[in-house]
Amino acid sequence: AHGDNENAILSLEPVLSQGKTVQDQLRAQHAYMLALIAQGLLNEAVQRGLAVLEKLGESFPSDIDRNTIVEELNKTEDLIRGRSVESILECSLVADENKLAAMKFLTVTARIAYNSNQNFFPVLRMINISLTNGLCPESSFAFASAAFLLCNHGHRDLATHCADIALALLKKFDHQYEHVVLLILGLSIHQYRQPMQACLDQIRQAG
């Protein structure tokens, strides 16, 4: 299997070199990231995802410290706070192709960067895109991940609100990303909202 992934990467190189635009390369770049992940090369996959995102207009700071994280977290809180679930569901759908592609790459990048500060910025950027450029299926993952981050930083009320938004977006987009959203919420804010057995059942359902 390891050799198959290496061969997959080699087969993608000509596609990437021949692609004239970022859009031409997106499918190959996505496949390249998945092949790196399958080999356990998570840092390389994250760096490739960030490089693609920069080409799509979504750049991130190279040096991330606690103050930077808190500042970005506060900006995101300001975007969400005071907005009802219903008002967010009424947001338009994202129409910009680059933003839509960015949401897909942000999702993959955030899922494999969970153990580092690099996780924060993809998730917070996804919230920003969802609320300023429009919603898409990946928005449910974004709000679930935001609930996880906010819960870990003691912002349980806002984490609860993000969890409610994530579940509402699941329904709006025909339960795409349901397994990962339920897993994220079951491991975070739902532990404070419902009995442990219910959380365990939710996690098993996600699995």
Side-chain angles (χ1 to χ4, degrees), residues 2 4 7 16 28 36-37 78 100 106 108 124 127 134 143 157 180 185 189 191 200 206:
H2 185 78
D4 290 342
N7 290 334
L16 293 174
L36 289 171
I37 293 167
D78 290 341
L100 189 58
L106 285 164
V108 178
L124 301 184
I127 296 294
F143 278 96
D157 288 344
V180 67
L185 297 181
I189 189 60
Q191 294 186 23
L200 292 174

Side-chain angles (χ1 to χ4, degrees), residues 7 37 65 85-87 103-104 121 127 129 153 169 189:
N7 290 334
I37 293 167
D65 57 22
V85 175
E86 292 74 18
S87 69
M103 287 292 281
K104 295 183 184 299
F121 283 86
I127 296 294
I129 291 173
H153 282 75
L169 288 169
I189 189 60

Side-chain angles (χ1 to χ4, degrees), residues 16-86:
L16 293 174
S17 62
Q18 292 169 14
K20 295 180 180 179
T21 67
V22 178
Q23 289 292 336
D24 291 338
Q25 298 179 359
L26 289 178
R27 290 184 67 179
Q29 291 283 17
H30 188 265
Y32 202 118
M33 283 186 72
L34 295 181
L36 289 171
I37 293 167
Q39 292 185 53
L41 302 173
L42 301 187
N43 186 61
E44 289 86 342
V46 169
Q47 295 308 314
R48 178 162 288 271
L50 294 175
V52 174
L53 286 163
E54 187 166 7
K55 292 179 181 178
L56 290 168
E58 306 296 334
S59 59
F60 298 91
S62 55
D63 295 322
I64 302 173
D65 57 22
R66 180 171 176 77
N67 290 335
T68 306
I69 291 172
V70 170
E71 182 181 346
E72 290 299 314
L73 198 57
N74 288 338
K75 289 179 183 177
T76 304
E77 286 185 17
D78 290 341
L79 271 177
I80 301 169
R81 198 179 298 278
R83 300 189 64 169
S84 67
V85 175
E86 292 74 18

Side-chain angles (χ1 to χ4, degrees), residues 138-172:
E138 289 75 18
S139 298
S140 60
F141 168 81
F143 278 96
S145 298
F148 186 95
L149 296 176
L150 289 164
C151 184
N152 284 350
H153 282 75
H155 302 266
R156 290 181 190 166
D157 288 344
L158 194 56
T160 297
H161 187 46
C162 284
D164 291 339
I165 296 168
L167 293 173
L169 288 169
L170 272 183
K171 293 180 181 179
K172 181 179 179 71

